[in-house]
Amino acid sequence: MEFSLIAKHFTRATPGAVLGVGDDCALLAPTPGMQLAVSSDMLLEGRHFSPQDSPAGIGHKSLAVNLSDLAAMGATPRWATLAIALPEENDAWLTAFARGFFRMADQHGIELIGGDTTRGALTLSITVMGEIPPGQALRRDGAQAGDDIWVSGVLGSAAMALAYRQGRLFMEQIDAAKVLPALYLPTPRVALGIALRGLAHSAIDISDGLLADLGHILERSGKGAQLAFDALPTLPVVQTYLHETVARECVLAGGDDYELCFTAPADRREAILAAAASADVSVSRIGQITAEPGLTVLAADGQPLPYDKTGYDHFAA
């Protein structure tokens, strides 16, 4: 059953690989002179997605969140492996999942070259591989004092959608419909990451929350930061709920945005905007890197805005 399942749902031509699905290992020939960027993510039913979620949407998101890691490094996607545990064989579910997965794969030129299947609680584990010229990777440890801090797209939509679904935030249905796509169908900023090579000093994707993920840059770079809350980009519908504490937490620490947070010198502002335009994505300047450690968020009146939560805890109950 395992091999027929793989053959039916996950075997496709892989012209970019020497050998793809069907043997003990895949065989790859990276482009000469390029470095490999490799990342893995695991998604569990009940923790990262709901049993009621669309399988096509799960397929989309499972690959998108991995591609976001490649985007954060400025890597060009090439290959992926997929390991999937299923409580039982479900042909209709797998057909829809594969449709969403391969739609995302085709958008970014990534080939599925192998993986594994077994029986168990529904779990997805994906490894992605990309390529990048030596010395051009966007890393977390390169932020410098005086750098501008930028983010792509908008923040807080996915977290607000989850809060709405969990009953922690009450929204009008017409408003909820505007944020739900961010939760189910995130967009990895691959083209922007590639365009930022040679421009950004550091970068990370926002998966656990802006404050938590920016905090990783600050820790690795030995720097601090000052952010302006009013500069954080959000959908207009999100702004109408910012009087609620939970909504402000969604913007600052909600996670699941899969936008890029990056730093760059002030004299590269025009080049950053041009890079974003070439990638067809908006970017916003939200603060500055400081030499002194610590992360401060300023309210509109210039006073520090208190916050208790910085991001998602993978080991919280």
Side-chain angles (χ1 to χ4, degrees):
M1 183 183 80
E2 175 186 2
F3 297 110
S4 62
L5 182 155
I6 293 171
K8 179 175 182 179
H9 297 285
F10 300 112
T11 300
R12 304 173 89 196
T14 55
V18 177
L19 181 64
V21 175
D23 217 310
D24 290 303
C25 295
L27 299 177
L28 306 176
T31 305
M34 299 288 275
Q35 293 180 333
L36 277 179
V38 182
S39 180
S40 296
D41 266 304
M42 184 181 299
L43 287 84
L44 283 71
E45 184 182 69
R47 187 150 187 93
H48 300 102
F49 58 90
S50 165
Q52 288 75 45
D53 288 351
S54 155
I58 295 170
H60 171 111
K61 187 170 183 176
S62 65
L63 184 55
V65 302
N66 281 268
L67 287 170
S68 186
D69 287 330
L70 292 184
M73 298 292 288
T76 301
R78 293 295 309 275
W79 304 288
T81 64
L82 166 66
I84 180 168
L86 296 163
E88 59 185 3
E89 186 177 10
N90 185 328
D91 193 73
W93 192 95
L94 284 168
T95 297
F97 172 86
R99 183 170 65 249
F101 181 95
F102 283 118
R103 184 167 56 229
M104 175 58 51
D106 291 343
Q107 287 178 15
H108 294 282
I110 197 163
E111 297 176 353
L112 183 65
I113 56 168
D116 193 20
T117 60
T118 190
R119 182 183 295 274
L122 184 55
T123 304
L124 308 165
S125 182
I126 295 174
T127 296
V128 289
M129 288 154 273
E131 294 181 330
I132 191 165
Q136 293 193 32
L138 308 178
R139 296 168 46 152
R140 299 179 181 183
D141 59 2
Q144 298 181 21
D147 276 1
D148 291 327
I149 303 171
W150 299 78
V151 292
S152 64
V154 294
L155 304 176
S157 299
M160 284 187 65
L162 182 60
Y164 167 78
R165 196 177 75 175
Q166 294 175 335
R168 296 184 293 110
L169 179 65
F170 296 96
M171 303 177 68
E172 299 292 336
Q173 288 187 347
I174 193 171
D175 292 339
K178 297 174 183 177
V179 295
L180 284 167
L183 178 63
Y184 297 118
L185 300 171
T187 301
R189 302 302 187 182
V190 174
L192 177 61
I194 293 170
L196 290 174
R197 294 175 186 170
L199 295 177
H201 279 158
S202 65
I204 192 170
D205 76 317
I206 304 173
S207 56
D208 294 333
L210 172 63
L211 297 186
D213 289 316
L214 175 57
H216 295 318
I217 287 180
L218 303 182
E219 181 180 5
R220 293 293 301 274
S221 300
K223 298 293 187 289
Q226 188 173 88
L227 303 180
F229 185 81
D230 284 359
L232 303 184
T234 62
L235 291 178
V237 67
V238 171
Q239 295 175 21
T240 64
Y241 289 88
L242 289 181
H243 61 281
E244 304 248 11
T245 300
V246 65
R248 293 194 297 273
E249 285 184 350
C250 286
V251 174
L252 286 170
D256 253 4
D257 290 310
Y258 299 103
E259 297 292 351
L260 296 187
C261 175
F262 57 96
T263 78
D267 62 7
R268 293 181 182 170
R269 290 175 184 173
E270 292 302 318
I272 295 293
L273 293 173
S278 72
D280 195 27
V281 59
S282 63
V283 292
S284 303
R285 192 157 41 90
I286 64 170
Q288 190 174 59
I289 296 294
T290 63
E292 302 78 21
L295 176 53
T296 303
V297 181
L298 298 180
D301 60 4
Q303 296 301 307
L305 185 70
Y307 56 86
D308 296 322
K309 184 179 178 182
T310 60
Y312 176 71
D313 184 348
H314 291 261
F315 287 92

